[in-house]
Amino acid sequence: MIWIDSSRGYKFSVGGKDGWVLNPSESYNHWAERNRFQVNDTLFFKLKNGNDSVLVVTREKYNRCNGKKPIKTLTEGKSEYIFGRSGPHYFISSSEDHCKKGQKLVIVVLAVRPKKPSPSPASPPSASPTPSASIPAPSSKAPSPSPSDADVPSNSPNKSFVVGFTAFRTNWLLSFVVGVGVFMFCFG
């Protein structure tokens, strides 16, 4: 179950309605893999008073189920742990036997990503620089026609034929290539 506390982030109930027990209906690590944790999110551990506690430990102690000198001990019936940093966090049962039977949990907290600042409105273009003597002034002559246009006079009725034929030739070639591809797919 997940609760939202706007000042702290999300609140996750470890073990669901069962709480922190030896044989949960879903393994703790599988549950953790299905969720995404961020800095300021909170884990809520429902413990049976006097029965067990949760230890926050290093990776080495997690792997060995070593509860000696934990980083933190959660012993209250309803304990909370707030993620203050990104990276892996390791939790084990205070009972070495329970830990070895799988009552342990690793949670990887995602790194904080700063919000991207909204783009500032575009500033008006600055005044163009004044032309210097080394930059040639633009020519008043019209650009010379491209070689394909130069082959056909602009007032010639054949110019539209050349443009139309080029479009026909391109479409025909494309249709031919697609047709060959379909033929090869079906019969090749």
Side-chain angles (χ1 to χ4, degrees):
M1 177 177 262
I2 301 173
W3 296 287
I4 299 176
D5 180 353
S6 61
S7 64
R8 290 192 173 170
Y10 291 95
K11 188 173 186 178
F12 295 88
S13 181
V14 178
K17 64 180 178 357
D18 297 332
W20 183 251
V21 295
L22 179 57
N23 296 312
S25 55
E26 176 182 29
S27 83
Y28 295 114
N29 286 331
H30 185 263
W31 169 80
E33 289 170 1
R34 291 188 304 105
N35 291 290
R36 298 291 172 259
F37 302 93
Q38 296 182 342
V39 174
N40 293 326
D41 284 348
T42 302
L43 286 185
F44 174 75
F45 290 92
K46 186 170 103 179
L47 307 169
K48 293 184 180 174
N49 285 333
N51 233 7
D52 198 3
S53 57
V54 180
L55 306 177
V56 181
V57 296
T58 63
R59 183 177 79 194
E60 293 77 22
K61 290 184 178 190
Y62 172 87
N63 290 332
R64 293 188 178 112
C65 286
N66 180 348
K68 294 177 183 164
K69 297 183 182 177
I71 298 168
K72 185 171 185 175
T73 303
L74 307 171
T75 56
E76 300 290 320
K78 295 179 180 178
S79 293
E80 292 184 350
Y81 180 83
I82 300 171
F83 297 116
R85 63 170 177 81
S86 61
H89 295 258
Y90 301 92
F91 304 88
I92 64 172
S93 170
S94 60
S95 164
E96 184 178 350
D97 184 50
H98 287 190
C99 179
K100 288 182 178 179
K101 290 180 179 176
Q103 194 176 5
K104 56 186 188 174
L105 168 66
V106 176
I107 292 186
V108 177
V109 176
L110 301 174
V112 177
R113 292 190 176 238
K115 293 183 179 182
K116 293 181 181 178
S118 58
S120 60
S123 57
S126 59
S128 57
T130 55
S132 66
S134 62
I135 301 175
S139 170
S140 62
K141 293 182 184 177
S144 59
S146 65
S148 61
D149 290 340
D151 295 342
V152 180
S154 62
N155 60 356
S156 168
N158 292 335
K159 182 172 183 176
S160 62
F161 171 77
V162 170
V163 171
F165 179 72
T166 303
F168 167 78
R169 185 176 59 195
T170 303
N171 287 340
W172 178 86
L173 181 62
L174 180 61
S175 298
F176 177 77
V177 170
V178 170
V180 169
V182 170
F183 178 81
M184 294 302 290
F185 178 76
C186 293
F187 302 106

